[in-house]
Amino acid sequence: MADPHVSRASSPSPLLALPSAVDSAAGSVDHGVAWHYGDPFTEQRAATTGVAVVDRSHRAGIRLAGDERLSWLHSITSQHLTALPDRSSAEDLVLDIAGHVEQHFVLTDLDGVTWIDTEPTHGAALLDYLQKMVFWAKAEPTASDELAVLTLLGPDLEHGALADLVPVPDRPYAATPLPGGGFVRRMPWPGEHAADLLVPRDQMVQWWQRLTAAGAAPAGMWAFEALRVEAKRPRLGLDTDERAIPHELGWIGGVDEAGAVHLDKGCYRGQETVARVHNLGKPPRNLVLLHLDGSADGRPEVGDPVVTAEGRTVGRVGTVVDHHELGPVALALVKRTIPADTPLTAGPCAAAIDPDSMPAQDLFQPGRAAVDRLRGR
């Protein structure tokens, strides 16, 4: 049975006691942490021009111990982990037998322990899966609320008093221990300058005070989500559905490519679909950025259909957010064959695909090239 304490979704963050904090909406996956601190667009600007700190302490945590933890995790997930250096991180997926995405998580291996964090609504299911897959391996996945995630965003991340306080690594996904416990890891998204601090939960408020005293502006999940949508980085459960495969979501690639599916490994559930799409086919849908009509009465909701002018459903709405420069935007999974200039509707809004968000359609496919050579093409 999954440990109920793996998710922090039902425990409000102590940082909500700050006088300017506004909780995320009830029923939202982010309920229990601040959506903003009174001025969401100023917070977004701080995260792009200065430095901001975001409370993401609701992410579910898992502690993975044991001498075979990485080789075992390598064998049941999509990322290549057997050669992962100490004090390094990676993104990883659990797929079902048909290659659909079931879990997405970030892991950091540090001094003999692998720390996993994932969406607050998916922690229990991920832990349950990992515990069922241990068998005889020397791997011990357990629920852990020991560490809380605080995210730093912005170009001033490595300057001034903040740089003295937090030793942010230069290399994406690299991790460095923090004084007093926990660690900081460099992340390649949602912006060029991003780092997660996983700090002891009982020190979270003190760390927040130190970070803001060193110049980091408080920012809510609104700011984080706006930058994530702009960067076209999907979020499990919001931008995915039960049919989503990694190719549709931009999760293909190893650690060096900021991906979650390494193409030079096999023997994991769903690998056949990954290989077939990579070598011979194309994904049925693509994750794209939608620009929404801000004058509409309301906004679409997660899961709403994306519809053409003729009434044909061609996609699914994911995260919807107001961006300080782009205005109202959303991520959406849209059929690959839909041209970028197709007039669309998402919920109550007219919508348009950002052409720069469309994936390249002429990628080299080794399997298809081999078939063409055999046929003399």
Side-chain angles (χ1 to χ4, degrees), residues 110-134:
L110 184 81
D111 300 340
V113 175
T114 301
W115 299 94
I116 291 172
D117 59 283
T118 188
E119 294 291 341
T121 52
H122 284 73
L126 176 58
L127 177 64
D128 185 55
Y129 172 75
L130 295 177
Q131 290 178 333
K132 286 178 178 177
M133 296 300 293
V134 170

Side-chain angles (χ1 to χ4, degrees), residues 134-150:
V134 170
F135 301 112
W136 302 110
K138 295 178 181 178
E140 303 169 15
T142 56
S144 175
D145 63 1
E146 181 180 344
L147 301 178
V149 181
L150 302 176

Side-chain angles (χ1 to χ4, degrees), residues 208-259:
W208 183 271
Q209 293 169 342
R210 292 176 203 154
L211 294 167
T212 54
M221 284 299 298
W222 186 338
F224 184 90
E225 292 292 87
L227 299 187
R228 180 181 65 81
V229 169
E230 180 186 15
K232 213 179 73 168
R233 300 294 302 205
R235 190 170 171 187
L236 184 71
L238 295 179
D239 306 303
T240 66
D241 59 14
E242 69 282 354
R243 297 185 294 117
I245 62 174
H247 296 78
E248 296 177 326
L249 300 159
W251 272 332
I252 298 298
V255 175
D256 292 341
E257 296 124 334

Side-chain angles (χ1 to χ4, degrees), residues 68-82:
E68 296 175 352
R69 64 191 182 281
L70 287 180
S71 59
W72 166 76
L73 196 59
H74 172 95
S75 70
I76 61 172
T77 62
S78 62
Q79 187 59 273
H80 199 300
L81 300 173
T82 54

Side-chain angles (χ1 to χ4, degrees), residues 42-54 151-163 166 168 193-195 197 210-219 223 227:
T42 297
E43 294 167 26
Q44 290 183 39
R45 283 189 285 271
T48 56
T49 63
V51 65
V53 56
V54 181
T151 296
L152 289 169
L153 301 170
D156 290 346
L157 182 64
E158 300 163 88
H159 303 289
L162 199 59
V166 181
V168 178
H193 308 281
L197 279 69
R210 292 176 203 154
L211 294 167
T212 54
L227 299 187

Side-chain angles (χ1 to χ4, degrees), residues 18-370:
L18 294 173
S20 56
V22 176
D23 196 354
S24 298
S28 159
V29 68
D30 294 321
H31 184 60
V33 295
W35 183 233
H36 63 83
Y37 293 91
D39 194 345
F41 290 152
T42 297
E43 294 167 26
Q44 290 183 39
R45 283 189 285 271
T48 56
T49 63
V51 65
V53 56
V54 181
D55 178 9
R56 299 173 68 221
S57 61
H58 59 323
R59 282 181 66 78
I62 297 172
R63 184 182 190 272
L64 179 58
D67 293 342
E68 296 175 352
R69 64 191 182 281
L70 287 180
S71 59
W72 166 76
L73 196 59
H74 172 95
S75 70
I76 61 172
T77 62
S78 62
Q79 187 59 273
H80 199 300
L81 300 173
T82 54
L84 188 73
D86 184 32
R87 302 188 176 186
S88 295
S89 307
E91 296 182 58
D92 205 350
L93 302 179
V94 174
L95 307 178
D96 70 12
I97 193 66
H100 303 129
V101 177
E102 288 190 343
Q103 302 288 344
H104 170 262
F105 55 95
V106 185
L107 64 95
T108 300
D109 197 64
L110 184 81
D111 300 340
V113 175
T114 301
W115 299 94
I116 291 172
D117 59 283
T118 188
E119 294 291 341
T121 52
H122 284 73
L126 176 58
L127 177 64
D128 185 55
Y129 172 75
L130 295 177
Q131 290 178 333
K132 286 178 178 177
M133 296 300 293
V134 170
F135 301 112
W136 302 110
K138 295 178 181 178
E140 303 169 15
T142 56
S144 175
D145 63 1
E146 181 180 344
L147 301 178
V149 181
L150 302 176
T151 296
L152 289 169
L153 301 170
D156 290 346
L157 182 64
E158 300 163 88
H159 303 289
L162 199 59
D164 296 333
L165 179 64
V166 181
V168 178
D170 294 333
R171 177 174 57 86
Y173 297 115
T176 301
L178 290 169
F183 56 89
V184 55
R185 68 180 173 218
R186 187 71 178 241
M187 292 296 290
W189 61 272
E192 182 181 355
H193 308 281
D196 290 334
L197 279 69
L198 281 86
V199 302
R201 192 169 291 275
D202 59 4
Q203 299 178 29
M204 184 174 65
V205 174
Q206 292 92 324
W207 267 106
W208 183 271
Q209 293 169 342
R210 292 176 203 154
L211 294 167
T212 54
M221 284 299 298
W222 186 338
F224 184 90
E225 292 292 87
L227 299 187
R228 180 181 65 81
V229 169
E230 180 186 15
K232 213 179 73 168
R233 300 294 302 205
R235 190 170 171 187
L236 184 71
L238 295 179
D239 306 303
T240 66
D241 59 14
E242 69 282 354
R243 297 185 294 117
I245 62 174
H247 296 78
E248 296 177 326
L249 300 159
W251 272 332
I252 298 298
V255 175
D256 292 341
E257 296 124 334
V261 180
H262 199 290
L263 291 172
D264 293 333
K265 62 161 288 189
C267 300
Y268 61 93
R269 192 173 68 180
Q271 179 246 341
E272 293 83 359
T273 296
V274 170
R276 183 170 61 251
V277 175
H278 174 68
N279 288 302
L280 295 172
K282 288 180 170 39
R285 301 176 297 179
N286 290 319
L287 187 72
V288 299
L289 178 67
L290 292 182
H291 294 275
L292 304 175
D293 179 6
S295 66
D297 184 15
R299 298 280 189 271
E301 297 182 359
V302 172
D304 278 353
V306 178
V307 182
T308 66
E310 295 77 29
R312 183 165 63 102
T313 297
V314 294
R316 172 196 182 274
V317 174
T319 305
V320 181
V321 69
D322 286 299
H323 189 282
H324 73 289
E325 289 183 341
L326 301 177
V329 289
L331 291 178
L333 280 170
V334 174
K335 287 185 177 181
R336 175 176 50 84
T337 53
I338 298 300
D341 59 356
T342 304
L344 299 170
T345 300
C349 299
I353 297 173
D354 187 318
D356 292 336
S357 73
M358 295 283 284
Q361 298 294 333
D362 56 351
L363 297 178
F364 176 73
Q365 295 179 291
R368 180 63 61 192

